[in-house]
Amino acid sequence: MNIHEYQAKGVLKSFGVPVPDGAPAMDVDGAGDVAAGLEGPVFVVKSQIHAGGRGKGKFKELGPEAKGGVRVADTVAEVRAHAAEMLGNTLVTVQTGPTGKKVSRLYVENGSRIESEFYISLLIDRATSRVAFVVSTEGGMDIETVAAQTPEKVVTLTVDPATGLMPYHGRLVAKALGLQGDLAAQAGLLATQLYTAFTATDMEMLEINPLVLTGDGRLVCLDAKVGFDSNALDRRPELASLRDEMEEDARELAASRHDLSYIALDGNIGCMVNGAGLAMATMDIIKHHGGEPANFLDVGGGATAEKVAAAFKIITTDPSVKGILVNIFGGIMRCDVIAEGVVEAVKEVGLKVPLVVRLEGTNVAEGKKIIAESGLDVIAADDLDDAARKIVIAAKGRN
Ligand code: ADP
Ligand code: MG
């Protein structure tokens, strides 16, 4: 689960991490009020969307000459003017894709005098099963470019969970940032605070870009991108309020409400499958026959007809879906329940694309009967290979 910059800074601040003073605002008056209450003399007005690259981003509605999604203001009146331009408009950045994201929240904070910009992030390194620090002196830029063109400028170090963070990790971070003396001590403390925040809240990603050295010799986090491990949210109920459903894919959101494992993909063949392994195999075999899956969807073991109907609706409302493959192996899940759910959903939302159904296992005869008697225009399939071939052919050439 990703959160907004202002929320991430709130979490980090509670662990002692230095961030500029600021507050979120939902409208122009709110933005003006926040600025009026800040020290200044310079303010920064920042679009809050779940994507980076906001500074260099462009608002769709404002034309190429207009300023980006992170703007500096010298007066409260200027803050208000920027807020009025940004709120309600669509910001397109390298990370949002061409459709962009609508800006509904702003963050107004004190402007910092920047001497230099650094990069620091923490993430789970799956290869070593450890929390890793990724540190670079090249902050404020696209770190992927830095890593590709000048890999020697990106330093990675991992923390053994048996020892936790040790003072020497802090010294390595300071060294990687090229800092000495008091600044090295600040970097060491920051590393401890970030590591503590990361592990204490089950983050899976924490990225500070840029971390800056200010004119008065302080290290301050000017940007913060945080993602939490969704599997840990049950034990972190305090984080639930940080979720912004407006930022999430509408179909993935509907799926999570129905407790379905759904991930939107780029292809055009919708898949409804039970069991993650079978769902992966189904996607593979669709690709093998020259098709592209539009989604991963595991309806799970004990799904009800309602849940199946909800899943089917999520697939059919995806405009890129040109054909649907239902592939069920009835074990705990019964084929008749799946059939009922599919029929129920089609009754409600209709069916405009070809549908291939492959049922096997528990109650398969009942399931096939329900579908046969429903009058649904279903292409029956004998086995998975046959099903995949049929749906790829049926979906081909449809726009
Ligand atoms: P993004 O990464 O989405 O573009 P950032 O928060 O990193 O957004 O802001 C972009 C740039 O704006 C930063 O690299 C920094 O140079 C500048 N900036 C951001 N916040 C402040 C601030 N509080 N004071 C001064 N400059 C800032
Ligand atoms: Mg940034």
mmCIF file with all atom_site columns, all heavy atoms in Angstrom, residues 69-94:
data_model
loop_
_atom_site.group_PDB
_atom_site.id
_atom_site.type_symbol
_atom_site.label_atom_id
_atom_site.label_alt_id
_atom_site.label_comp_id
_atom_site.label_asym_id
_atom_site.label_entity_id
_atom_site.label_seq_id
_atom_site.pdbx_PDB_ins_code
_atom_site.Cartn_x
_atom_site.Cartn_y
_atom_site.Cartn_z
_atom_site.occupancy
_atom_site.B_iso_or_equiv
_atom_site.pdbx_formal_charge
_atom_site.auth_seq_id
_atom_site.auth_comp_id
_atom_site.auth_asym_id
_atom_site.auth_atom_id
_atom_site.pdbx_PDB_model_num
ATOM 1   N N   . GLY A 1 69 ? 4.509  20.169 -11.001 1.00 0.00 ? 69 GLY A N   1
ATOM 2   C CA  . GLY A 1 69 ? 3.699  19.786 -9.853  1.00 0.00 ? 69 GLY A CA  1
ATOM 3   C C   . GLY A 1 69 ? 4.324  20.096 -8.506  1.00 0.00 ? 69 GLY A C   1
ATOM 4   O O   . GLY A 1 69 ? 3.732  19.806 -7.459  1.00 0.00 ? 69 GLY A O   1
ATOM 5   N N   . VAL A 1 70 ? 5.549  20.661 -8.501  1.00 0.00 ? 70 VAL A N   1
ATOM 6   C CA  . VAL A 1 70 ? 6.200  21.116 -7.263  1.00 0.00 ? 70 VAL A CA  1
ATOM 7   C C   . VAL A 1 70 ? 6.655  22.548 -7.513  1.00 0.00 ? 70 VAL A C   1
ATOM 8   O O   . VAL A 1 70 ? 7.466  22.790 -8.414  1.00 0.00 ? 70 VAL A O   1
ATOM 9   C CB  . VAL A 1 70 ? 7.411  20.235 -6.898  1.00 0.00 ? 70 VAL A CB  1
ATOM 10  C CG1 . VAL A 1 70 ? 8.152  20.790 -5.683  1.00 0.00 ? 70 VAL A CG1 1
ATOM 11  C CG2 . VAL A 1 70 ? 6.976  18.794 -6.635  1.00 0.00 ? 70 VAL A CG2 1
ATOM 12  N N   . ARG A 1 71 ? 6.114  23.506 -6.773  1.00 0.00 ? 71 ARG A N   1
ATOM 13  C CA  . ARG A 1 71 ? 6.383  24.916 -7.093  1.00 0.00 ? 71 ARG A CA  1
ATOM 14  C C   . ARG A 1 71 ? 6.799  25.731 -5.876  1.00 0.00 ? 71 ARG A C   1
ATOM 15  O O   . ARG A 1 71 ? 6.270  25.539 -4.787  1.00 0.00 ? 71 ARG A O   1
ATOM 16  C CB  . ARG A 1 71 ? 5.130  25.545 -7.683  1.00 0.00 ? 71 ARG A CB  1
ATOM 17  C CG  . ARG A 1 71 ? 4.636  24.837 -8.923  1.00 0.00 ? 71 ARG A CG  1
ATOM 18  C CD  . ARG A 1 71 ? 3.390  25.496 -9.397  1.00 0.00 ? 71 ARG A CD  1
ATOM 19  N NE  . ARG A 1 71 ? 2.887  24.896 -10.626 1.00 0.00 ? 71 ARG A NE  1
ATOM 20  C CZ  . ARG A 1 71 ? 1.929  25.431 -11.348 1.00 0.00 ? 71 ARG A CZ  1
ATOM 21  N NH1 . ARG A 1 71 ? 1.375  26.584 -10.960 1.00 0.00 ? 71 ARG A NH1 1
ATOM 22  N NH2 . ARG A 1 71 ? 1.519  24.847 -12.437 1.00 0.00 ? 71 ARG A NH2 1
ATOM 23  N N   . VAL A 1 72 ? 7.707  26.636 -6.116  1.00 0.00 ? 72 VAL A N   1
ATOM 24  C CA  . VAL A 1 72 ? 8.192  27.515 -5.053  1.00 0.00 ? 72 VAL A CA  1
ATOM 25  C C   . VAL A 1 72 ? 7.373  28.812 -5.060  1.00 0.00 ? 72 VAL A C   1
ATOM 26  O O   . VAL A 1 72 ? 7.040  29.321 -6.132  1.00 0.00 ? 72 VAL A O   1
ATOM 27  C CB  . VAL A 1 72 ? 9.686  27.830 -5.279  1.00 0.00 ? 72 VAL A CB  1
ATOM 28  C CG1 . VAL A 1 72 ? 10.211 28.797 -4.223  1.00 0.00 ? 72 VAL A CG1 1
ATOM 29  C CG2 . VAL A 1 72 ? 10.495 26.529 -5.250  1.00 0.00 ? 72 VAL A CG2 1
ATOM 30  N N   . ALA A 1 73 ? 7.042  29.321 -3.870  1.00 0.00 ? 73 ALA A N   1
ATOM 31  C CA  . ALA A 1 73 ? 6.268  30.570 -3.770  1.00 0.00 ? 73 ALA A CA  1
ATOM 32  C C   . ALA A 1 73 ? 6.898  31.466 -2.712  1.00 0.00 ? 73 ALA A C   1
ATOM 33  O O   . ALA A 1 73 ? 7.368  30.979 -1.680  1.00 0.00 ? 73 ALA A O   1
ATOM 34  C CB  . ALA A 1 73 ? 4.823  30.262 -3.404  1.00 0.00 ? 73 ALA A CB  1
ATOM 35  N N   . ASP A 1 74 ? 6.922  32.778 -2.972  1.00 0.00 ? 74 ASP A N   1
ATOM 36  C CA  . ASP A 1 74 ? 7.537  33.717 -2.027  1.00 0.00 ? 74 ASP A CA  1
ATOM 37  C C   . ASP A 1 74 ? 6.523  34.337 -1.072  1.00 0.00 ? 74 ASP A C   1
ATOM 38  O O   . ASP A 1 74 ? 6.892  34.894 -0.049  1.00 0.00 ? 74 ASP A O   1
ATOM 39  C CB  . ASP A 1 74 ? 8.258  34.831 -2.795  1.00 0.00 ? 74 ASP A CB  1
ATOM 40  C CG  . ASP A 1 74 ? 9.497  34.301 -3.501  1.00 0.00 ? 74 ASP A CG  1
ATOM 41  O OD1 . ASP A 1 74 ? 10.193 33.461 -2.888  1.00 0.00 ? 74 ASP A OD1 1
ATOM 42  O OD2 . ASP A 1 74 ? 9.753  34.688 -4.656  1.00 0.00 ? 74 ASP A OD2 1
ATOM 43  N N   . THR A 1 75 ? 5.255  34.293 -1.451  1.00 0.00 ? 75 THR A N   1
ATOM 44  C CA  . THR A 1 75 ? 4.231  34.911 -0.605  1.00 0.00 ? 75 THR A CA  1
ATOM 45  C C   . THR A 1 75 ? 3.027  33.981 -0.474  1.00 0.00 ? 75 THR A C   1
ATOM 46  O O   . THR A 1 75 ? 2.877  33.038 -1.266  1.00 0.00 ? 75 THR A O   1
ATOM 47  C CB  . THR A 1 75 ? 3.715  36.228 -1.234  1.00 0.00 ? 75 THR A CB  1
ATOM 48  O OG1 . THR A 1 75 ? 3.105  35.886 -2.500  1.00 0.00 ? 75 THR A OG1 1
ATOM 49  C CG2 . THR A 1 75 ? 4.836  37.232 -1.472  1.00 0.00 ? 75 THR A CG2 1
ATOM 50  N N   . VAL A 1 76 ? 2.185  34.291 0.503   1.00 0.00 ? 76 VAL A N   1
ATOM 51  C CA  . VAL A 1 76 ? 0.960  33.503 0.698   1.00 0.00 ? 76 VAL A CA  1
ATOM 52  C C   . VAL A 1 76 ? 0.070  33.630 -0.537  1.00 0.00 ? 76 VAL A C   1
ATOM 53  O O   . VAL A 1 76 ? -0.552 32.652 -0.985  1.00 0.00 ? 76 VAL A O   1
ATOM 54  C CB  . VAL A 1 76 ? 0.213  33.972 1.974   1.00 0.00 ? 76 VAL A CB  1
ATOM 55  C CG1 . VAL A 1 76 ? -1.147 33.299 2.084   1.00 0.00 ? 76 VAL A CG1 1
ATOM 56  C CG2 . VAL A 1 76 ? 1.060  33.671 3.213   1.00 0.00 ? 76 VAL A CG2 1
ATOM 57  N N   . ALA A 1 77 ? 0.037  34.834 -1.122  1.00 0.00 ? 77 ALA A N   1
ATOM 58  C CA  . ALA A 1 77 ? -0.790 35.040 -2.313  1.00 0.00 ? 77 ALA A CA  1
ATOM 59  C C   . ALA A 1 77 ? -0.322 34.141 -3.459  1.00 0.00 ? 77 ALA A C   1
ATOM 60  O O   . ALA A 1 77 ? -1.135 33.574 -4.201  1.00 0.00 ? 77 ALA A O   1
ATOM 61  C CB  . ALA A 1 77 ? -0.735 36.511 -2.739  1.00 0.00 ? 77 ALA A CB  1
ATOM 62  N N   . GLU A 1 78 ? 1.012  33.999 -3.573  1.00 0.00 ? 78 GLU A N   1
ATOM 63  C CA  . GLU A 1 78 ? 1.549  33.125 -4.624  1.00 0.00 ? 78 GLU A CA  1
ATOM 64  C C   . GLU A 1 78 ? 1.194  31.663 -4.360  1.00 0.00 ? 78 GLU A C   1
ATOM 65  O O   . GLU A 1 78 ? 0.903  30.910 -5.288  1.00 0.00 ? 78 GLU A O   1
ATOM 66  C CB  . GLU A 1 78 ? 3.080  33.258 -4.660  1.00 0.00 ? 78 GLU A CB  1
ATOM 67  C CG  . GLU A 1 78 ? 3.619  33.998 -5.870  1.00 0.00 ? 78 GLU A CG  1
ATOM 68  C CD  . GLU A 1 78 ? 5.139  33.995 -5.862  1.00 0.00 ? 78 GLU A CD  1
ATOM 69  O OE1 . GLU A 1 78 ? 5.745  32.952 -6.141  1.00 0.00 ? 78 GLU A OE1 1
ATOM 70  O OE2 . GLU A 1 78 ? 5.716  35.062 -5.531  1.00 0.00 ? 78 GLU A OE2 1
ATOM 71  N N   . VAL A 1 79 ? 1.248  31.290 -3.084  1.00 0.00 ? 79 VAL A N   1
ATOM 72  C CA  . VAL A 1 79 ? 0.863  29.916 -2.721  1.00 0.00 ? 79 VAL A CA  1
ATOM 73  C C   . VAL A 1 79 ? -0.567 29.668 -3.176  1.00 0.00 ? 79 VAL A C   1
ATOM 74  O O   . VAL A 1 79 ? -0.882 28.637 -3.795  1.00 0.00 ? 79 VAL A O   1
ATOM 75  C CB  . VAL A 1 79 ? 0.980  29.697 -1.187  1.00 0.00 ? 79 VAL A CB  1
ATOM 76  C CG1 . VAL A 1 79 ? 0.298  28.397 -0.779  1.00 0.00 ? 79 VAL A CG1 1
ATOM 77  C CG2 . VAL A 1 79 ? 2.437  29.689 -0.752  1.00 0.00 ? 79 VAL A CG2 1
ATOM 78  N N   . ARG A 1 80 ? -1.439 30.644 -2.909  1.00 0.00 ? 80 ARG A N   1
ATOM 79  C CA  . ARG A 1 80 ? -2.851 30.491 -3.295  1.00 0.00 ? 80 ARG A CA  1
ATOM 80  C C   . ARG A 1 80 ? -2.998 30.384 -4.820  1.00 0.00 ? 80 ARG A C   1
ATOM 81  O O   . ARG A 1 80 ? -3.777 29.570 -5.322  1.00 0.00 ? 80 ARG A O   1
ATOM 82  C CB  . ARG A 1 80 ? -3.679 31.676 -2.779  1.00 0.00 ? 80 ARG A CB  1
ATOM 83  C CG  . ARG A 1 80 ? -3.834 31.709 -1.253  1.00 0.00 ? 80 ARG A CG  1
ATOM 84  C CD  . ARG A 1 80 ? -4.641 32.939 -0.836  1.00 0.00 ? 80 ARG A CD  1
ATOM 85  N NE  . ARG A 1 80 ? -5.963 32.923 -1.446  1.00 0.00 ? 80 ARG A NE  1
ATOM 86  C CZ  . ARG A 1 80 ? -7.068 32.510 -0.844  1.00 0.00 ? 80 ARG A CZ  1
ATOM 87  N NH1 . ARG A 1 80 ? -7.007 32.084 0.410   1.00 0.00 ? 80 ARG A NH1 1
ATOM 88  N NH2 . ARG A 1 80 ? -8.214 32.525 -1.465  1.00 0.00 ? 80 ARG A NH2 1
ATOM 89  N N   . ALA A 1 81 ? -2.231 31.190 -5.536  1.00 0.00 ? 81 ALA A N   1
ATOM 90  C CA  . ALA A 1 81 ? -2.327 31.168 -6.998  1.00 0.00 ? 81 ALA A CA  1
ATOM 91  C C   . ALA A 1 81 ? -1.888 29.804 -7.552  1.00 0.00 ? 81 ALA A C   1
ATOM 92  O O   . ALA A 1 81 ? -2.535 29.240 -8.434  1.00 0.00 ? 81 ALA A O   1
ATOM 93  C CB  . ALA A 1 81 ? -1.472 32.286 -7.595  1.00 0.00 ? 81 ALA A CB  1
ATOM 94  N N   . HIS A 1 82 ? -0.786 29.276 -6.998  1.00 0.00 ? 82 HIS A N   1
ATOM 95  C CA  . HIS A 1 82 ? -0.322 27.948 -7.444  1.00 0.00 ? 82 HIS A CA  1
ATOM 96  C C   . HIS A 1 82 ? -1.359 26.887 -7.106  1.00 0.00 ? 82 HIS A C   1
ATOM 97  O O   . HIS A 1 82 ? -1.646 25.998 -7.923  1.00 0.00 ? 82 HIS A O   1
ATOM 98  C CB  . HIS A 1 82 ? 1.013  27.597 -6.782  1.00 0.00 ? 82 HIS A CB  1
ATOM 99  C CG  . HIS A 1 82 ? 2.177  28.344 -7.358  1.00 0.00 ? 82 HIS A CG  1
ATOM 100 N ND1 . HIS A 1 82 ? 2.387  28.445 -8.710  1.00 0.00 ? 82 HIS A ND1 1
ATOM 101 C CD2 . HIS A 1 82 ? 3.193  29.017 -6.761  1.00 0.00 ? 82 HIS A CD2 1
ATOM 102 C CE1 . HIS A 1 82 ? 3.490  29.156 -8.933  1.00 0.00 ? 82 HIS A CE1 1
ATOM 103 N NE2 . HIS A 1 82 ? 3.992  29.519 -7.757  1.00 0.00 ? 82 HIS A NE2 1
ATOM 104 N N   . ALA A 1 83 ? -1.910 26.976 -5.894  1.00 0.00 ? 83 ALA A N   1
ATOM 105 C CA  . ALA A 1 83 ? -2.904 25.973 -5.469  1.00 0.00 ? 83 ALA A CA  1
ATOM 106 C C   . ALA A 1 83 ? -4.089 25.988 -6.421  1.00 0.00 ? 83 ALA A C   1
ATOM 107 O O   . ALA A 1 83 ? -4.581 24.929 -6.837  1.00 0.00 ? 83 ALA A O   1
ATOM 108 C CB  . ALA A 1 83 ? -3.354 26.254 -4.034  1.00 0.00 ? 83 ALA A CB  1
ATOM 109 N N   . ALA A 1 84 ? -4.528 27.190 -6.794  1.00 0.00 ? 84 ALA A N   1
ATOM 110 C CA  . ALA A 1 84 ? -5.690 27.314 -7.685  1.00 0.00 ? 84 ALA A CA  1
ATOM 111 C C   . ALA A 1 84 ? -5.399 26.675 -9.042  1.00 0.00 ? 84 ALA A C   1
ATOM 112 O O   . ALA A 1 84 ? -6.275 26.059 -9.656  1.00 0.00 ? 84 ALA A O   1
ATOM 113 C CB  . ALA A 1 84 ? -6.060 28.783 -7.860  1.00 0.00 ? 84 ALA A CB  1
ATOM 114 N N   . GLU A 1 85 ? -4.152 26.801 -9.500  1.00 0.00 ? 85 GLU A N   1
ATOM 115 C CA  . GLU A 1 85 ? -3.793 26.224 -10.807 1.00 0.00 ? 85 GLU A CA  1
ATOM 116 C C   . GLU A 1 85 ? -3.669 24.711 -10.766 1.00 0.00 ? 85 GLU A C   1
ATOM 117 O O   . GLU A 1 85 ? -3.952 24.015 -11.734 1.00 0.00 ? 85 GLU A O   1
ATOM 118 C CB  . GLU A 1 85 ? -2.451 26.805 -11.265 1.00 0.00 ? 85 GLU A CB  1
ATOM 119 C CG  . GLU A 1 85 ? -2.598 27.708 -12.469 1.00 0.00 ? 85 GLU A CG  1
ATOM 120 C CD  . GLU A 1 85 ? -1.255 28.093 -13.061 1.00 0.00 ? 85 GLU A CD  1
ATOM 121 O OE1 . GLU A 1 85 ? -0.378 27.235 -13.248 1.00 0.00 ? 85 GLU A OE1 1
ATOM 122 O OE2 . GLU A 1 85 ? -1.100 29.278 -13.321 1.00 0.00 ? 85 GLU A OE2 1
ATOM 123 N N   . MET A 1 86 ? -3.196 24.201 -9.623  1.00 0.00 ? 86 MET A N   1
ATOM 124 C CA  . MET A 1 86 ? -2.879 22.772 -9.550  1.00 0.00 ? 86 MET A CA  1
ATOM 125 C C   . MET A 1 86 ? -4.082 21.905 -9.175  1.00 0.00 ? 86 MET A C   1
ATOM 126 O O   . MET A 1 86 ? -4.274 20.826 -9.750  1.00 0.00 ? 86 MET A O   1
ATOM 127 C CB  . MET A 1 86 ? -1.762 22.551 -8.513  1.00 0.00 ? 86 MET A CB  1
ATOM 128 C CG  . MET A 1 86 ? -0.427 23.123 -8.966  1.00 0.00 ? 86 MET A CG  1
ATOM 129 S SD  . MET A 1 86 ? 0.659  23.538 -7.569  1.00 0.00 ? 86 MET A SD  1
ATOM 130 C CE  . MET A 1 86 ? 1.527  22.048 -7.341  1.00 0.00 ? 86 MET A CE  1
ATOM 131 N N   . LEU A 1 87 ? -4.881 22.356 -8.231  1.00 0.00 ? 87 LEU A N   1
ATOM 132 C CA  . LEU A 1 87 ? -5.972 21.514 -7.717  1.00 0.00 ? 87 LEU A CA  1
ATOM 133 C C   . LEU A 1 87 ? -6.996 21.207 -8.813  1.00 0.00 ? 87 LEU A C   1
ATOM 134 O O   . LEU A 1 87 ? -7.403 22.096 -9.557  1.00 0.00 ? 87 LEU A O   1
ATOM 135 C CB  . LEU A 1 87 ? -6.664 22.200 -6.545  1.00 0.00 ? 87 LEU A CB  1
ATOM 136 C CG  . LEU A 1 87 ? -5.946 22.065 -5.194  1.00 0.00 ? 87 LEU A CG  1
ATOM 137 C CD1 . LEU A 1 87 ? -6.528 23.036 -4.175  1.00 0.00 ? 87 LEU A CD1 1
ATOM 138 C CD2 . LEU A 1 87 ? -6.022 20.639 -4.661  1.00 0.00 ? 87 LEU A CD2 1
ATOM 139 N N   . GLY A 1 88 ? -7.366 19.964 -8.904  1.00 0.00 ? 88 GLY A N   1
ATOM 140 C CA  . GLY A 1 88 ? -8.392 19.555 -9.867  1.00 0.00 ? 88 GLY A CA  1
ATOM 141 C C   . GLY A 1 88 ? -7.836 19.262 -11.250 1.00 0.00 ? 88 GLY A C   1
ATOM 142 O O   . GLY A 1 88 ? -8.551 18.737 -12.102 1.00 0.00 ? 88 GLY A O   1
ATOM 143 N N   . ASN A 1 89 ? -6.577 19.618 -11.491 1.00 0.00 ? 89 ASN A N   1
ATOM 144 C CA  . ASN A 1 89 ? -5.982 19.341 -12.798 1.00 0.00 ? 89 ASN A CA  1
ATOM 145 C C   . ASN A 1 89 ? -5.180 18.042 -12.785 1.00 0.00 ? 89 ASN A C   1
ATOM 146 O O   . ASN A 1 89 ? -4.882 17.495 -11.741 1.00 0.00 ? 89 ASN A O   1
ATOM 147 C CB  . ASN A 1 89 ? -5.124 20.521 -13.249 1.00 0.00 ? 89 ASN A CB  1
ATOM 148 C CG  . ASN A 1 89 ? -5.991 21.642 -13.790 1.00 0.00 ? 89 ASN A CG  1
ATOM 149 O OD1 . ASN A 1 89 ? -7.098 21.407 -14.274 1.00 0.00 ? 89 ASN A OD1 1
ATOM 150 N ND2 . ASN A 1 89 ? -5.502 22.866 -13.677 1.00 0.00 ? 89 ASN A ND2 1
ATOM 151 N N   . THR A 1 90 ? -4.824 17.592 -13.994 1.00 0.00 ? 90 THR A N   1
ATOM 152 C CA  . THR A 1 90 ? -4.205 16.273 -14.147 1.00 0.00 ? 90 THR A CA  1
ATOM 153 C C   . THR A 1 90 ? -2.713 16.404 -14.389 1.00 0.00 ? 90 THR A C   1
ATOM 154 O O   . THR A 1 90 ? -2.290 17.024 -15.365 1.00 0.00 ? 90 THR A O   1
ATOM 155 C CB  . THR A 1 90 ? -4.833 15.545 -15.349 1.00 0.00 ? 90 THR A CB  1
ATOM 156 O OG1 . THR A 1 90 ? -6.245 15.676 -15.251 1.00 0.00 ? 90 THR A OG1 1
ATOM 157 C CG2 . THR A 1 90 ? -4.457 14.078 -15.352 1.00 0.00 ? 90 THR A CG2 1
ATOM 158 N N   . LEU A 1 91 ? -1.937 15.825 -13.498 1.00 0.00 ? 91 LEU A N   1
ATOM 159 C CA  . LEU A 1 91 ? -0.484 15.905 -13.593 1.00 0.00 ? 91 LEU A CA  1
ATOM 160 C C   . LEU A 1 91 ? 0.062  14.654 -14.277 1.00 0.00 ? 91 LEU A C   1
ATOM 161 O O   . LEU A 1 91 ? -0.249 13.535 -13.873 1.00 0.00 ? 91 LEU A O   1
ATOM 162 C CB  . LEU A 1 91 ? 0.111  16.048 -12.179 1.00 0.00 ? 91 LEU A CB  1
ATOM 163 C CG  . LEU A 1 91 ? 1.615  16.258 -12.082 1.00 0.00 ? 91 LEU A CG  1
ATOM 164 C CD1 . LEU A 1 91 ? 2.048  17.519 -12.819 1.00 0.00 ? 91 LEU A CD1 1
ATOM 165 C CD2 . LEU A 1 91 ? 2.032  16.363 -10.608 1.00 0.00 ? 91 LEU A CD2 1
ATOM 166 N N   . VAL A 1 92 ? 0.840  14.894 -15.337 1.00 0.00 ? 92 VAL A N   1
ATOM 167 C CA  . VAL A 1 92 ? 1.461  13.777 -16.061 1.00 0.00 ? 92 VAL A CA  1
ATOM 168 C C   . VAL A 1 92 ? 2.953  13.780 -15.753 1.00 0.00 ? 92 VAL A C   1
ATOM 169 O O   . VAL A 1 92 ? 3.640  14.773 -15.979 1.00 0.00 ? 92 VAL A O   1
ATOM 170 C CB  . VAL A 1 92 ? 1.242  13.916 -17.580 1.00 0.00 ? 92 VAL A CB  1
ATOM 171 C CG1 . VAL A 1 92 ? 1.887  12.759 -18.329 1.00 0.00 ? 92 VAL A CG1 1
ATOM 172 C CG2 . VAL A 1 92 ? -0.248 13.981 -17.899 1.00 0.00 ? 92 VAL A CG2 1
ATOM 173 N N   . THR A 1 93 ? 3.466  12.667 -15.216 1.00 0.00 ? 93 THR A N   1
ATOM 174 C CA  . THR A 1 93 ? 4.900  12.553 -14.929 1.00 0.00 ? 93 THR A CA  1
ATOM 175 C C   . THR A 1 93 ? 5.426  11.266 -15.564 1.00 0.00 ? 93 THR A C   1
ATOM 176 O O   . THR A 1 93 ? 4.640  10.467 -16.074 1.00 0.00 ? 93 THR A O   1
ATOM 177 C CB  . THR A 1 93 ? 5.187  12.502 -13.409 1.00 0.00 ? 93 THR A CB  1
ATOM 178 O OG1 . THR A 1 93 ? 4.950  11.169 -12.935 1.00 0.00 ? 93 THR A OG1 1
ATOM 179 C CG2 . THR A 1 93 ? 4.320  13.473 -12.634 1.00 0.00 ? 93 THR A CG2 1
ATOM 180 N N   . VAL A 1 94 ? 6.748  11.077 -15.507 1.00 0.00 ? 94 VAL A N   1
ATOM 181 C CA  . VAL A 1 94 ? 7.316  9.849  -16.085 1.00 0.00 ? 94 VAL A CA  1
ATOM 182 C C   . VAL A 1 94 ? 6.739  8.608  -15.416 1.00 0.00 ? 94 VAL A C   1
ATOM 183 O O   . VAL A 1 94 ? 6.743  7.532  -16.000 1.00 0.00 ? 94 VAL A O   1
ATOM 184 C CB  . VAL A 1 94 ? 8.856  9.800  -15.956 1.00 0.00 ? 94 VAL A CB  1
ATOM 185 C CG1 . VAL A 1 94 ? 9.509  10.706 -16.974 1.00 0.00 ? 94 VAL A CG1 1
ATOM 186 C CG2 . VAL A 1 94 ? 9.310  10.140 -14.551 1.00 0.00 ? 94 VAL A CG2 1
#
